[in-house]
Amino acid sequence: MNPVLFPRTKEMLLSMVKAYPEARFMAGGTDLLVALRQKQKALPPLIGLERMAGMGDILKEGEEISIGAACTLREVASHPLTRQHLPLLCQGAASVGGPALRNMATLGGNLCTASPAGDTLPALFLLDARLDLLSETGLRTLSMEAFITGPGRTALLPGELLHRIRISIPQNTPIQHFEKVGNRNAMAIAVASLAALIRMEQGLVTEARLAWGSVGPKVIRSSEAEAALMGKPLREESLKEAAFHAQKAVQPISDIRASADYRKTVSASLLQRLILYRDSDDKGEQS
Amino acid sequence: MSKPPENAPISFFLNGSPLSLSVAPGRRVVDLLREDLPLTGTKEGCGTGECGACTLLVDGLPMLSCLMLAAQLEGRNIETVESLEKDPVGEKLITSFEEKGAVQCGYCIPGMEMTALALLRKHPDADREDIRKGLSGNLCRCTGYVKILDAVEDTAKTLKAPKEMP
Ligand SMILES: Cc1cc2nc3c(=O)[nH]c(=O)nc-3n(C[C@H](O)[C@H](O)[C@H](O)COP(=O)(O)OP(=O)(O)OC[C@H]3O[C@@H](n4cnc5c(N)ncnc54)[C@H](O)[C@@H]3O)c2cc1C
Ligand code: FES
Ligand code: FES
């Protein structure tokens, strides 16, 4: 019978990793336990992260929000700091499963699962999240691009822990919007999702970042679609043009949830729905 | 056969009373409750986190007992549907579910009620939309949800209403 261990400090954690090199980290267990049970084997040794000091907190450090990897998605979605500064991430976190699942599932777990349908990933890409990884050899920091290496694959080395997720606070209150289309309102994996971070000045787009989830092996961005919005008001014409580029950029597959064609259409429609922000103007710049 | 051999001691609060027992750390909480204790009020539907039938409260928050291991309970405060009638909000939920006829086969009800209990404790003023969102992770294959929402809304109204004259 393999142990289930709950380190409280970094030192305890590292010594447990050493003692059980075959151990798996368990945060909320919502991906891990489902996957392990499918294999119908005895559980490997598990190192649970739920009681680790400094992994369940959300802090403001200078101009940066720092989130412990073991924060539950409920905490991420409801914390005053994330709500104030990172609404895009809050919307992504709140889209995962139902309330009970979000009380267990963590931001770190969502990242380490690295599913193309992971609902927090598009936001973390657009917000240029930096990921602090901890191991016996010390700490290293990776960008999202470097961390997610493919569907279900990350740059984590054996025994390496995702410790914190750090995000610079976006300046000048840009529009932050995440929307997901699933087969059901709750508990459904996305058919397609869009995260958008758009900055406007005097009614014109000065920065546009767009990322789609569930429509490729990784989160998809389209510099053509972003460029199509630049310098223009958020209007039907520019969004239509951007949507045309989006359709070309996404690389969806057909599966039991949706066909590739449907996913392309949804990707484009999600973008055109940003028309809802047509009257938004930059507020941060005006003093 | 479902019981693995090596056990470890754990202590937690179950429905208000302290409990210490010896259990395989990797045993699922739903099995611990239903088979070892045995408290069969908690139901297992899907076993994969999708249906909410196995919901219980851990330190007051709804969680899924099919995706929780016994070792995780150490030091925690667990509430199962067996405690419902001893809780003032829970008691009202039971009455409302009966009065609104919100039950068919009853399989989803313990999970529905525990989720609603946590919601109404925190937001006694929850409206129908809050309730709908709060229960969005609990599936019911029989009722069509309308009567369940009616029942929880009714409980919320009773909680809000000033004490009526007899
Ligand atoms: C019914 C159901 C519905 C779901 N719906 C959604 C959904 O709508 N959207 C969505 O995005 N996801 C969904 N998921 C997937 C899952 O809940 C999320 O991916 C969740 O965020 C995983 O977090 P966790 O803490 O439970 O991870 P775990 O299951 O604990 O871990 C997942 C993996 O990451 C590793 N790991 C975890 N934390 C760390 C760390 N800090 N460092 C290193 N490795 C780590 C684990 O070893 C494991 O391999 C759903 C799952 C279920 C069961
Ligand atoms: S049995 Fe746990 S969620 Fe279905
Ligand atoms: S009453 Fe049968 S599943 Fe809900």
Side-chain angles (χ1 to χ4, degrees):
Chain A
M1 184 72 216
N2 283 315
V4 182
L5 306 164
F6 295 99
R8 287 173 186 276
T9 63
K10 283 185 210 173
E11 293 70 34
M12 283 170 82
L13 177 113
L14 293 176
S15 72
M16 286 169 184
V17 169
K18 215 172 194 168
Y20 296 98
E22 76 283 27
R24 298 285 301 269
F25 290 126
M26 178 172 87
T30 62
D31 275 319
L32 184 70
L33 294 179
V34 173
L36 290 176
R37 268 182 79 80
Q38 266 165 8
K39 292 193 196 143
Q40 304 242 313
K41 280 196 304 191
L43 294 178
L46 296 175
I47 300 179
L49 305 177
E50 60 188 51
R51 293 166 200 231
M52 271 283 286
M55 274 188 77
D57 53 2
I58 299 180
L59 310 167
K60 183 164 181 286
E61 290 174 337
E63 283 309 294
E64 188 174 89
I65 304 293
S66 167
I67 306 173
C71 275
T72 64
L73 295 172
R74 177 187 59 83
E75 287 156 351
V76 172
S78 62
H79 196 282
L81 283 172
T82 43
R83 288 182 70 103
Q84 186 188 346
H85 299 294
L86 308 172
L88 187 63
L89 181 61
C90 294
Q91 294 166 48
S95 302
V96 175
L101 196 88
R102 292 194 292 275
N103 287 335
M104 309 172 75
T106 66
L107 184 61
N110 202 235
L111 260 164
C112 293
T113 293
S115 158
D119 283 326
T120 66
L121 271 52
L124 292 170
F125 265 97
L126 293 195
L127 293 164
D128 285 332
R130 291 176 299 282
L131 312 174
D132 286 346
L133 312 184
L134 181 75
S135 69
E136 217 190 3
T137 54
L139 202 68
R140 61 176 179 138
T141 300
L142 292 185
S143 66
M144 285 294 290
E145 282 77 12
F147 184 77
I148 308 276
T149 54
R153 289 203 313 273
T154 68
L156 281 171
L157 299 170
E160 195 171 37
L161 179 81
L162 170 58
H163 191 240
R164 298 196 75 85
I165 295 116
R166 292 185 294 116
I167 301 168
S168 302
I169 295 173
Q171 300 301 310
N172 309 337
T173 52
I175 297 168
Q176 299 189 37
H177 177 73
F178 176 83
E179 195 169 349
K180 157 179 166 179
V181 173
N183 293 341
R184 224 169 74 210
N185 277 338
M187 310 300 277
I189 306 296
V191 158
S193 65
L194 168 69
L197 197 147
I198 293 173
R199 201 164 272 124
M200 312 268 296
E201 270 164 48
Q202 273 117 42
L204 303 179
V205 174
T206 55
E207 187 180 358
R209 299 185 186 200
L210 306 166
W212 286 264
S214 268
V215 287
K218 291 170 68 167
V219 168
I220 302 261
R221 290 186 69 171
S222 159
S223 46
E224 289 86 358
E226 293 175 355
L229 300 180
M230 289 293 285
K232 298 177 194 153
L234 264 192
R235 289 279 155 75
E236 222 172 291
E237 305 87 295
S238 55
L239 285 169
K240 234 184 198 148
E241 193 194 331
F244 167 78
H245 293 294
Q247 290 232 20
K248 287 203 293 188
V250 298
Q251 310 157 25
I253 52 161
S254 296
D255 66 10
I256 84 172
R257 284 189 294 273
S259 70
D261 272 351
Y262 178 69
R263 286 192 153 100
K264 276 191 183 230
T265 310
V266 171
S267 302
S269 313
L270 283 171
L271 184 58
Q272 296 194 62
R273 281 170 56 80
L274 294 177
I275 191 83
L276 295 170
Y277 292 95
R278 132 185 66 190
D279 295 325
S280 302
D281 204 338
D282 164 61
K283 292 176 195 85
E285 282 277 275
Q286 291 155 6
S287 47
Chain B
M1 131 96 219
S2 58
K3 260 192 203 173
E6 277 175 60
N7 289 351
I10 54 165
S11 302
F12 56 98
F13 283 85
L14 180 60
N15 296 333
S17 310
L19 181 67
S20 294
L21 45 81
S22 172
V23 61
R27 190 150 173 79
R28 296 186 315 163
V29 171
V30 65
D31 298 328
L32 172 74
L33 291 171
R34 291 184 52 85
E35 295 174 16
D36 302 2
L37 288 174
L39 291 178
T40 53
T42 302
K43 304 293 184 236
E44 177 171 10
C46 62
T48 53
E50 307 212 17
C51 74
C54 66
T55 306
L56 42 70
L57 306 192
V58 180
D59 295 336
L61 293 176
M63 294 196 192
L64 305 169
S65 62
C66 70
L67 295 181
M68 261 193 120
L69 304 180
Q72 291 177 267
L73 295 182
E74 176 64 38
R76 302 281 193 228
N77 214 327
I78 311 306
E79 293 169 85
T80 68
V81 71
E82 280 85 0
S83 70
L84 205 63
E85 58 187 10
K86 286 178 258 161
D87 182 283
V89 180
E91 212 186 337
K92 292 208 173 68
L93 273 171
I94 295 175
T95 326
S96 296
F97 270 72
E98 273 171 20
E99 283 174 6
K100 298 288 170 188
V103 184
Q104 288 193 23
C105 80
Y107 209 78
C108 68
I109 300 301
M112 289 282 181
E113 289 180 334
M114 295 314 282
T115 306
L117 174 65
L119 178 74
L120 294 184
R121 271 187 192 159
K122 207 165 154 212
H123 304 287
D125 53 347
D127 63 18
R128 198 171 176 95
E129 185 54 23
D130 300 329
I131 296 168
R132 209 182 57 76
K133 276 197 193 136
L135 292 178
S136 60
N138 293 76
L139 299 190
C140 172
R141 44 170 205 151
C142 316
T143 65
Y145 301 100
V146 174
K147 290 181 174 181
I148 292 178
L149 294 176
D150 289 346
V152 180
E153 204 179 5
D154 180 69
T155 307
K157 280 192 187 134
T158 327
L159 293 172
K160 262 184 292 189
K163 290 266 178 296
E164 275 174 49
M165 300 294 282

